[in-house]
Amino acid sequence: MKKTKIEQIRNIGIMAHIDAGKTTVTERVLYYTGRSHKIGEVHDGEATMDWMTDEQERGITITSAVTTCQWKNKQIQIIDTPGHVDFTIEVERSLRVLDGAIGVFCAVGGVQPQSETVWRQADKYNVPRIAFINKLDRIGADFNGAVTAIQEKLGANPVIIQLPVGAEESFQGVIDLIGMQMIAWNDDSLGAEFETGPIPEAMVDDAEAARDAMIEALSDVDEEIMEAYLAEETVTNDQIKAALRKGTIDLSIVPVLCGTALRNKGIQPLLDAICDYLPSPVDIPSAHGINPTTGETVTFEQKVKEPLSALVFKVSMIEGRKLSFARIYSGKLIAGSEVYNPLLKKKEKLSRILQMHANRKERVTEAGPGSIVGIVGLKDTSTGDTLCNADNQVILERIDTYEPVISIAVEPKTHADQDKLDTVLAKFTTEDPTLKVRTDEDTGQTILSGMGELHLEIIISRMQREFNTDVNVGKPQVVYRESITNESSATATFDREMAGQNHYGQVSLTLKPLSLGEGNRFVSTLTEEELQPQFSAAIEKGVMDALDSGTLLGYPVVDVEATVTGVDTREGHATELAFSVSASMAMREALSNGAPFLLEPVMAVEVFVPDDFMGEVIGDLNSRGGKIEAINPNAGIQEINAAVALSRMFGYSTALRSATQGRGNFTMKFSHFDRAVDK
């Protein structure tokens, strides 16, 4: 395989709200770049990037897929990310390793809830972006409205570089404001062929005004254009492109393009924009990490001759085998060689290195900086781990994860399923950091916790499809937390002979509630003379262990401060075990005496509903104890923002479809914990 210079690489993600057209855009990119020879449609279950059976049946992206294609001597490595909030971790870990992104927005819906979520994630990782306004052929399409929403809701600085010609059924093509020409696509060639021509006479004034606005916006980010603009001199196309690239990479602007991917219009100029305006790996700051031995910050330049640094950002269990995805920042990976995992402090062997195209793979012997590859052979390395050289160690910034908010109980249907269940769940938790598994001590049930009903539904489906493991599933249960109402104090003593040794320790402590969201704190009022450091550490461990399981229903305790006020020791009998256990016993008593209560997860719910059904939908949310926070008109559809307890939202999708004749839809994401009502 021909090696690509790092300057010619573009690592990009395609991100958006569910059903905005991310995967459809990706399918056209693959077709027009020659990577695939047929356009796969999401609605037909044939999208190349949605290769999992569940993705094809549901018409949604569940797992981020990686592919590579070529356009005008540039190698574009694409990650198509999910749009559903239950799979936000897939977006998070993809953006962590990408150099640029395409934000796809529906021309009708504008900036939708998950659009905003993924945009904020890209903000966190300082990822340069291009916006693509999609679905301009749909009824209610509003290009200017979508651009305004990007500016107002996302706080971005959109710079329009294309105008649509026509809208809805009369959408014909786009006006390129740099070349000042119209681009129209040939429907007979599935959009592969297009023609450039003069701007329609009726739009000349609008195009000239839009070009002036584009140049004015660019004058704020480029001094050369500023001088030409103020002097009323001609600004060349090369100057405009250079300013667009500079402003995009330094995050000061977002170029805006438009089209309709489903009708095969607008993709080739988008590919040009990816190559022209989004950064190569050398255009962004080099990755830096921490030397685990010295604690010093380490930075390796993105060159082959530098020491190896690569981040494993995703692990997949494909056909039961572990496949790790890694972004190489410096040095190179060589098939058959050994690498070092500084977090695990162990060496791992790279059996094979793969260039990915969704679930199809192409073996390569080595890969250098800027590459995103699949790796076979990493036994213990997991998401967020760094690969480096043992003699040049570095730990790159890890990937944030999320706490689950919903649980189900699963039990195997047969003895054969019992034998497989633990192995299957271990594979899923390796693949998905947001999936948690535990065993209920009282019932012995296996409890799965995840990000939402759909998340857990997909896991159960994959158990059957991929691993032939059948389980009975209990009703979804909310993951609660516990806290206390009142300040309370307790004293506990542990005095016992074990294995011929006397263990004695007495701990007095005070427990007081904190404000919601403050977390837990441990405080000691005793001096080192009164309490030796090793015993203080043992007490803290006992306190924190006790907070893992509250006295009300056994949920984790949050937002409390435990203060050690006194201890009693006996010469020769005081042990760390005794103090740890007595602290845990005192905590249990203080929790029981502090008027404990439950905290439940509250969800931020956004419902999109036609005007005719507003009353019924609001009435239903009120009946669920929801708090209506805002109602915003949005292109003929009302957007209702509400806060509703998760326990009241089970089955809501069915209720909403019934109330709106199938025309309403909603999204929800975790907002905060609040005191549970009637629990």
Side-chain angles (χ1 to χ4, degrees), residues 343-390:
L343 284 168
L344 301 179
K345 298 181 179 178
K346 66 180 297 184
K347 291 183 178 180
E348 294 258 47
K349 186 171 183 179
L350 309 177
S351 300
R352 282 181 286 164
I353 301 174
L354 307 168
Q355 189 174 76
M356 302 300 297
H357 179 49
N359 64 330
R360 299 198 291 278
K361 316 168 190 70
E362 179 183 339
R363 293 182 69 162
V364 295
T365 55
E366 63 180 52
S371 298
I372 295 176
V373 294
I375 302 173
V376 177
L378 301 179
K379 294 181 179 178
D380 300 311
T381 297
S382 58
T383 297
D385 285 0
T386 301
L387 302 178
C388 62
N389 298 325

Side-chain angles (χ1 to χ4, degrees), residues 26-336:
T26 309
E27 292 298 319
R28 270 60 183 176
V29 166
L30 297 180
Y31 181 69
Y32 300 136
T33 58
R35 182 72 215 203
S36 61
H37 302 290
K38 177 191 174 192
I39 295 178
E41 299 292 9
V42 175
H43 53 266
D44 292 333
E46 295 179 352
T48 305
M49 303 299 278
D50 288 348
W51 55 270
M52 288 173 58
T53 305
D54 282 295
E55 293 179 312
Q56 293 167 351
E57 288 185 354
R58 298 168 190 268
I60 62 172
T61 302
I62 293 168
T63 181
S64 54
V66 181
T67 192
T68 305
C69 58
Q70 302 284 333
W71 183 256
K72 295 186 176 179
N73 298 319
K74 301 291 193 298
Q75 178 178 300
I76 303 175
Q77 299 181 126
I78 303 173
I79 300 182
D80 176 30
T81 62
H84 197 286
V85 68
D86 282 14
F87 310 106
T88 296
I89 184 63
E90 291 285 339
V91 184
E92 182 86 24
R93 55 189 179 183
S94 297
L95 287 171
R96 170 65 180 81
V97 298
L98 291 172
D99 303 326
I102 309 296
V104 179
F105 299 90
C106 173
V108 179
V111 175
Q112 296 166 287
Q114 189 66 0
S115 309
E116 192 167 351
T117 299
V118 297
W119 197 268
R120 303 297 178 216
Q121 287 173 302
D123 283 341
K124 180 166 74 173
Y125 293 115
N126 296 318
V127 178
R129 275 146 282 175
I130 289 173
F132 182 72
I133 310 297
N134 191 29
K135 301 191 177 185
L136 280 164
D137 59 319
R138 283 187 55 187
I139 295 174
D142 182 357
F143 174 76
N144 291 324
V147 174
T148 300
I150 291 172
Q151 186 171 16
E152 293 179 351
K153 290 190 176 183
L154 304 180
N157 181 19
V159 175
I160 296 171
I161 64 174
Q162 288 181 350
L163 285 181
V165 179
E168 301 180 349
E169 290 184 0
S170 62
F171 176 69
Q172 302 169 39
V174 302
I175 293 173
D176 170 19
L177 296 177
I178 301 172
M180 287 302 279
Q181 60 187 359
M182 176 176 170
I183 306 173
W185 280 264
N186 185 339
D187 291 335
D188 295 335
S189 67
L190 292 177
E193 298 176 4
F194 56 91
E195 298 175 352
T196 58
I199 297 170
E201 190 173 334
M203 292 193 67
V204 169
D205 290 344
D206 289 342
E208 289 178 350
R211 180 182 168 87
D212 287 344
M214 174 184 70
I215 293 173
E216 183 179 355
L218 293 177
S219 69
D220 291 336
V221 299
D222 187 276
E223 289 186 7
E224 192 175 326
I225 289 185
M226 167 84 74
E227 292 172 2
Y229 181 73
L230 293 176
E232 297 185 354
E233 297 173 354
T234 300
V235 179
T236 67
N237 292 352
D238 288 343
Q239 287 176 313
I240 291 173
K241 288 184 176 181
L244 282 167
R245 179 173 180 79
K246 177 179 178 292
T248 303
I249 292 173
D250 67 19
L251 305 176
S252 57
I253 65 168
V254 177
V256 179
L257 298 91
C258 58
T260 168
L262 187 63
R263 303 289 173 239
N264 311 311
K265 293 178 171 67
I267 302 302
Q268 292 93 337
L270 178 62
L271 281 163
D272 290 341
I274 290 169
C275 297
D276 291 341
Y277 310 133
L278 289 179
S280 73
V282 296
D283 293 319
I284 59 173
S286 298
H288 59 270
I290 301 297
N291 184 312
T293 304
T294 64
E296 296 177 349
T297 299
V298 179
T299 302
F300 296 142
E301 291 186 44
Q302 302 199 53
K303 297 179 180 178
V304 173
K305 294 182 180 180
E306 287 281 282
L308 173 66
S309 64
L311 183 73
V312 175
F313 67 93
K314 175 181 167 69
V315 174
S316 286
M317 306 303 296
I318 298 176
E319 297 173 353
R321 299 189 64 184
K322 184 177 179 180
L323 177 64
S324 305
F325 292 83
R327 160 70 191 265
I328 306 169
Y329 288 98
S330 62
K332 63 181 177 179
L333 294 175
I334 302 173

Side-chain angles (χ1 to χ4, degrees), residues 434-464:
T434 60
L435 181 70
K436 306 292 184 186
V437 179
R438 66 178 177 86
T439 301
D440 189 298
E441 294 182 1
D442 295 328
T443 65
Q445 289 180 307
T446 299
I447 307 296
L448 293 188
S449 301
M451 300 302 295
E453 286 184 274
L454 179 61
H455 184 200
L456 296 177
E457 192 179 314
I458 296 295
I459 293 295
I460 299 302
S461 174
R462 290 185 62 197
M463 278 187 195
Q464 169 63 48

Side-chain angles (χ1 to χ4, degrees), residues 153 605 607-611 614-615 617-619 621-622 627-634 637-642:
K153 290 190 176 183
V605 180
V607 187
F608 297 86
V609 58
D611 295 342
M614 272 279 291
V617 169
I618 290 176
L621 288 171
N622 287 332
K627 178 183 177 184
I628 307 298
E629 297 181 333
I631 299 175
N632 304 312
N634 189 357
I637 292 179
Q638 299 291 332
E639 175 189 326
I640 305 169
N641 298 331

